[in-house]
Amino acid sequence: MVSTLGGFVLFLALGVTIYAAAASVIGARPGREDWLASSRNAILVHFCLVTLAIFLLEYALITSDFSLRYVANTSTRGSLTRYKIAGLWGSLEGSILLWEWLQALMGALVVARYHDKHRQLMPYVQAVLQGISVFFLLLMAFAVNPFARIFPIPPDGRGLNPLLEVTDMLVHPLLLYSGYVGFSVPFAFGLAALITGRPSEEWLTITRRWTVVAWMFLTCGIFYGGWWSYRTLGWGGYWAWDPVENASFMPWLTGTAFIHSVMIQQRKRMLRIWNLVLVTLTFSLVIFGTFLTRSGILGSVHAFADGPVGVMFLAFLSVVLLFSFGLVAYRADQLKGHGELDSIVSRESAFLLNNVILVGICFTVFLGTIFPLLSEAVRGTKISVGTPYFNRVAGPLGMALLLLMGVGPLIAWGRASLNNLRRNFLKPSLLAVAGTIALYFLGVHEEAVLAAFLFAFFVIATVSFEFVVSTRTRARSTGERLLEAFFALLLRSRRRYGGLIVHLGVVIAIIGIAVSSIYKVEREATLKPGETLSIGHYTVRFDSLAAGERPTHILVWANLMGLKDGKPIGELTPGSRFYPNQQTPFASVDARYHWKEDLYVILSAFERDGSSATIKVMINPMISWIWIGGGVIVLGVLVAVLPERRLALLSVRARAQEA
Amino acid sequence: MAAATGSISWKKALIPLASLPLIALLAYGFRTDPKNIPSPLVKKPAPAFQMAIYDGEPISLGGLKGKAVVLNFWASWCFPACYEEAPLLESTWRTYKEQGVIFLGVDIQDKEANAREFMRRFNYTFPNGPDPGSKISIDYGVYGVPETFFIDRQGRIAYKHVGALTPDLLRAQLDVLLKEQ
Amino acid sequence: MAGLMALVLLLVPVLGSAATAAVTQMPDFALEDRVREVAEGLRCVVCQNLSVADSPSDLAKEMRNVVRELIQQGKSPAEIRAYFVSRYGEFVLLAPPKRGFNLLLWGLPFLAIAAGACGVYFVAKRWTAQREPERAVDPEYAERVRRDLQERAGPSKS
């Protein structure tokens, strides 16, 4: 019943969405407001229908309705309820439904927010967003129906891949998808601007918050994925330059470039073509990424490919690329702004350089990702492109970007005078050099780490000085106390200070990456009960082996005692999870996380009688700084996008309380 | 305000058309199989090894010169492929054993008890042995199970098959091996 | 001054952590370090994109053992890599050798960035040439502005 109803709902949604797209285009002409109004209703109906489909699938999952093939593939009777719910996006069909739901949500939100504004742009914005939904609905209608039935009805489901039965699965895909789908909104507005031939900066102002929030979700998703990999997968790392990881990183890179270069366009009306190219690239890379995941042309941990899906995604990607770039070419002459720069030494130049580096890193990652395919096509041999390559090329570029992050926010727009440069950069530069020299004498000798710290100190110094000096100046001129002045400053120039906080977060994360990569140490040993393994200041003692039944698996773990400088710091219980359907066990890592360093332990092997256990112990210095940095980035974004009305209220209330 | 019209010359058309090579490359990707990695050992001399045999005398590859060898890598934990091809291997062995070919099984990363159970289940009569330290597997570039190498009478690897064997393929390759003197 | 102190306070934990981290290097694991170095360049063939050094799988462990043996026999990293390539093919190297067609992979990114940077430089040059010439500021006006600013700054001085 659910199956038939669900399939019907999706087909209905497909029809409604096609109508919505067509009606939007018809409603673009002046005088056709009735068509436009009808299209808006259709968009809302579209959203309701897809929501209904989600409810139906979740209902089937929670009630373990195994007559649906999808439910049988992604859950078992014994699964915990929250993993049954997460089964919605655990496999291909459901993930497409989730994506489409988010896409429909975007369409509805855009309509709700702008329904009586932007008369010229909106019809085409709607048409583009609905058009994207049409593709995803077509996918589900003709290729990957989440409501497909299975005969005979199995007594129990196969269940989610055990790697996915963790709380992270409840969060990570939602974060990523929100980011991906969120980028479709600035893309739609960009295309609408191209179609209507309005060479204005209008669409940038409208979509600024959408872009930044989508970027935030994507950033969260990427950081969270790394955190998940580190805490759960048991190899001690957080990023493997896997093709699908790269696929999430590439739109992030062009999205970041876009956020920056948009600021130039808003001030100087330049770079119009470039920004349209960037937003198209960002969305195309999102589609490319999801194509990679679902086509199976590149092996990956994340891939879950099937049949005609790959071909359909490639077709859609081709349409997006040809149509968007065709439009850009068509409108190129009209878009050319009058490019004017006051000086090469200016913030505009810094942003241009920022774009070159970010797009350069994106190009590198892209090249590395498809090169195995290219090499096979040309030479016929299969090769691998992995971590050594990406680190080697992206590393120095990341350093350059780090330096720019310190320079960019403080260098003046227009022309940076020598005075301006001295005032803003002299002290931070001196401090950075001093700090780096201090580090050298404290024992840090690796060039990469020293360079990273040099630039990082520089950025931290510039940001700190900016905050401190501005706060002091404001406090002096308004008579507020320092803390008040600080918050008032944040609220007044949210974009600027939010941006500074984001930069700070990125710097913190980069420090974490640099130090943890270069200074991590590991040691492996087979221990009998009572024996210890020493690593750095730490000692790990193997006490005993234990086993227990869990709802979906058997867990075997080692009871270890961790000691630092001889003093006990706590128990560690790394283990292995044995699932009935899986041949090899899954690691269950344990660690003592600390902002200075992590003590990370894996159970590699054991004797069933508990007579010995092989453990691998790692020290990952400053790796938590990566996650902390991610948190600071989110904080910065929230500061930057807080809406104005609420803030005016807050500051009024604060002033009233003072009085 | 009426929207100004744009124009497109063939030069500008290059911009969207530039994406076509990429699309073509990705389309090519559909024909490749990322899991199938060609072996550099084919047509080269088979790496020598010495292995212990479950319930038998140790066998060295050098000692088998002059005979064709079907070298099969398997494991008891390899579902379902090894279980699918096992009966085929055993029955083909019984048919061909007098014709100058020897079947040899290498059990990788396994526990002896499980291996013996596997062999008992399929009534294996051809020699099988463990590969401690995975030396033989690494020498042969084995990256999964099951994998089967067809070695000719001169000790060269004629063909490598990844995955479960099928009756046609097994017989065809055997005939090739046995045809040459 | 306050700014400087704030900054120093911010930097102290950073310095401390980094220093601790750096000094945790253990001198008696030279062999393991060398194994790790070579293993980091080899691909674990049964995993997705992990290196032989990172992978927790059994085959990777055995491959590490082979690497260790080869190092102890005195083989160089290049020879060890060649050993594995002759058995598994180029696929087993995590970064393709800088030869022939692969030079595209290693060279294109730097070329692209260099081209981009040059492009930006030339475009910026053109754009600075296109700007409108500056007009001299009227000195009387400038004096008025200066006086106004001083007046505003005056009363708030605490």
Side-chain angles (χ1 to χ4, degrees), chain A residues 234-235 240-243 270-271 299-301 338-344 352 356-357 360-361 363-364 367-368 371 374-375 378-379 382-386 388-389 392-393 397 415 431 435 439 442-444 453 457 460-461 464-465 468 472 476-477 511 515 519-524 535-537 595-597 604-605 616 619 621-622 625, chain C residues 1-4 6-8 10-11 13-26 29 32-33 36 40-41 43 48-51 53-56 58 61 64 89-96 98-99 101-106 108-110 112-113 116-117 120-121 123-132 134 156-158:
Chain A
W235 59 282
W241 296 105
D242 177 90
M270 297 172 0
L271 299 180
S300 156
V301 263
H338 179 59
E340 239 185 54
L341 262 193
D342 289 322
S343 158
I344 290 193
L352 286 173
V356 168
I357 296 179
I361 299 179
F363 175 71
T364 307
L367 185 63
F371 198 75
L374 186 63
S375 178
V378 169
R379 287 173 63 205
K382 277 202 157 67
I383 60 166
S384 306
V385 179
Y389 168 75
R392 183 73 165 282
V393 186
L397 291 175
R415 178 185 303 119
L431 272 172
L439 271 186
L442 279 168
V444 180
F453 269 107
F457 284 152
I460 297 177
S464 307
F465 273 121
V468 167
R472 265 214 318 250
R476 217 175 276 156
S477 69
I511 294 182
V515 175
Y519 288 119
K520 73 169 173 213
V521 262
E522 64 179 58
R523 215 192 136 180
E524 193 169 24
I535 180 170
H537 297 288
W595 62 265
K596 257 193 164 183
E597 63 202 352
S604 309
K616 188 181 204 183
I619 300 184
M622 288 176 82
W625 287 56
Chain C
M1 237 328 99
L4 198 56
L7 192 57
V8 170
L10 196 67
L11 291 178
V14 176
L15 292 177
S17 301
T20 320
V23 187
T24 316
Q25 294 309 297
M26 291 169 296
F29 282 101
E32 290 307 309
D33 282 344
R36 177 152 250 280
E40 271 174 356
R43 180 179 187 152
Q48 299 288 6
N49 254 57
L50 285 183
S51 71
D54 288 329
S55 165
D58 287 328
K61 219 184 304 182
R64 284 198 292 272
E90 269 184 63
F91 179 77
V92 79
L93 292 177
L94 258 186
K98 300 189 177 89
R99 269 197 310 272
F101 188 68
N102 297 329
L103 287 174
L104 260 185
L105 178 70
W106 291 98
L108 268 184
F110 292 110
I113 305 248
V120 161
Y121 179 70
V123 163
K125 261 235 132 71
R126 182 155 48 95
W127 281 345
T128 50
Q130 279 177 194
R131 71 177 182 274
E132 288 177 22
E134 283 177 21
S156 321
K157 277 213 183 89
S158 42

Side-chain angles (χ1 to χ4, degrees), chain B residues 14-76:
Chain B
L14 278 182
I15 301 175
L17 292 180
S19 46
L20 285 179
L22 171 66
I23 297 172
L25 177 65
L26 295 176
Y28 166 80
F30 289 125
R31 298 207 294 160
T32 64
D33 178 6
K35 298 212 181 56
N36 181 18
I37 301 153
S39 168
L41 294 172
V42 176
K43 305 284 186 269
K44 298 243 178 58
F49 61 84
Q50 190 139 7
M51 61 186 284
I53 300 293
Y54 290 126
D55 306 326
E57 290 297 309
I59 291 185
S60 88
L61 187 64
L64 298 174
K65 254 245 171 67
K67 283 206 173 129
V69 180
V70 176
L71 188 62
N72 173 256
F73 288 84
W74 60 274
S76 67

Side-chain angles (χ1 to χ4, degrees), chain A residues 1 3 64-69 71 147-151 153-154:
Chain A
M1 215 281 285
S3 171
S64 292
D65 179 356
F66 294 126
S67 69
L68 264 66
R69 179 159 20 103
V71 177
F147 295 103
R149 266 187 274 244
I150 184 174
F151 290 120
I153 301 177

Side-chain angles (χ1 to χ4, degrees), chain A residues 96 135-136 139 290-291 294 309-317:
Chain A
I96 302 278
F135 167 69
F136 283 96
L139 260 187
T290 190
F291 162 73
R294 290 163 175 80
V309 179
V311 178
M312 290 177 78
F313 262 104
L314 187 58
F316 182 57
L317 180 62

Side-chain angles (χ1 to χ4, degrees), chain A residues 114 118 121 125 185-193 198-212 257-279 495:
Chain A
Y114 303 118
H118 313 304
L121 286 178
V125 171
V185 172
F187 172 67
F189 272 93
L191 270 194
R198 294 167 68 85
S200 67
E201 280 56 59
E202 186 185 7
W203 70 278
L204 292 179
T205 329
I206 303 171
T207 56
R208 188 204 130 220
R209 278 212 181 82
W210 292 96
T211 312
V212 171
F258 178 66
I259 290 178
H260 286 85
S261 79
V262 151
M263 292 191 233
I264 302 187
Q265 183 175 343
Q266 285 182 308
R267 255 168 233 274
K268 302 294 263 287
R269 304 184 198 283
M270 297 172 0
L271 299 180
R272 290 190 185 125
I273 304 181
W274 177 240
N275 281 325
L276 284 161
V277 167
L278 271 182
V279 79
R495 237 170 119 172

Side-chain angles (χ1 to χ4, degrees), chain A residues 241-509:
Chain A
W241 296 105
D242 177 90
V244 176
E245 288 173 336
N246 297 347
S248 70
F249 191 40
M250 288 188 279
W252 184 89
L253 288 164
T254 53
T256 309
F258 178 66
I259 290 178
H260 286 85
S261 79
V262 151
M263 292 191 233
I264 302 187
Q265 183 175 343
Q266 285 182 308
R267 255 168 233 274
K268 302 294 263 287
R269 304 184 198 283
M270 297 172 0
L271 299 180
R272 290 190 185 125
I273 304 181
W274 177 240
N275 281 325
L276 284 161
V277 167
L278 271 182
V279 79
T280 302
L281 268 182
T282 306
F283 182 70
S284 305
L285 284 168
V286 165
I287 300 297
F288 175 70
T290 190
F291 162 73
L292 275 189
T293 327
R294 290 163 175 80
S295 66
I297 65 172
L298 293 171
S300 156
V301 263
H302 295 80
F304 42 128
D306 211 358
V309 179
V311 178
M312 290 177 78
F313 262 104
L314 187 58
F316 182 57
L317 180 62
S318 314
V319 166
V320 167
L321 285 172
L322 291 170
F323 184 66
S324 313
F325 284 118
L327 268 178
V328 169
Y330 180 70
R331 294 276 188 214
D333 292 327
Q334 294 166 268
L335 291 170
K336 271 200 164 63
H338 179 59
E340 239 185 54
L341 262 193
D342 289 322
S343 158
I344 290 193
V345 184
S346 61
R347 194 175 300 179
E348 289 90 327
S349 296
F351 276 27
L352 286 173
L353 219 54
N354 149 304
N355 267 219
V356 168
I357 296 179
L358 282 169
V359 174
I361 299 179
C362 182
F363 175 71
T364 307
V365 174
F366 183 77
L367 185 63
T369 306
I370 63 162
F371 198 75
L373 194 56
L374 186 63
S375 178
E376 192 173 346
V378 169
R379 287 173 63 205
T381 27
K382 277 202 157 67
I383 60 166
S384 306
V385 179
T387 312
Y389 168 75
F390 289 107
N391 283 356
R392 183 73 165 282
V393 186
L397 291 175
M399 289 292 161
L401 212 54
L402 190 55
L403 181 59
L404 269 181
M405 267 196 282
V407 171
L410 263 61
I411 197 171
W413 288 105
R415 178 185 303 119
S417 66
L418 214 54
N419 211 0
N420 162 259
L421 291 176
R422 184 166 47 84
R423 215 173 348 114
N424 285 321
F425 298 121
L426 185 59
K427 282 201 210 134
S429 307
L430 291 176
L431 272 172
V433 171
T436 311
I437 295 180
L439 271 186
Y440 184 82
F441 284 114
L442 279 168
V444 180
H445 291 180
E446 281 72 6
E447 302 110 20
V449 179
L450 285 172
F453 269 107
L454 178 67
F455 295 153
F457 284 152
F458 178 65
V459 178
I460 297 177
T462 53
V463 171
S464 307
F465 273 121
E466 171 70 9
F467 270 117
V468 167
V469 169
S470 308
T471 307
R472 265 214 318 250
T473 314
R474 186 190 165 91
R476 217 175 276 156
S477 69
T478 63
E480 289 164 338
R481 281 173 308 221
L482 279 180
L483 204 58
E484 271 179 78
F486 177 72
F487 281 112
L489 203 63
L490 272 188
L491 298 183
R492 262 200 52 151
S493 313
R494 287 179 310 284
R495 237 170 119 172
R496 175 174 179 70
Y497 290 103
L500 284 178
I501 297 176
V502 170
H503 282 182
L504 204 58
V506 176
V507 166
I508 294 174

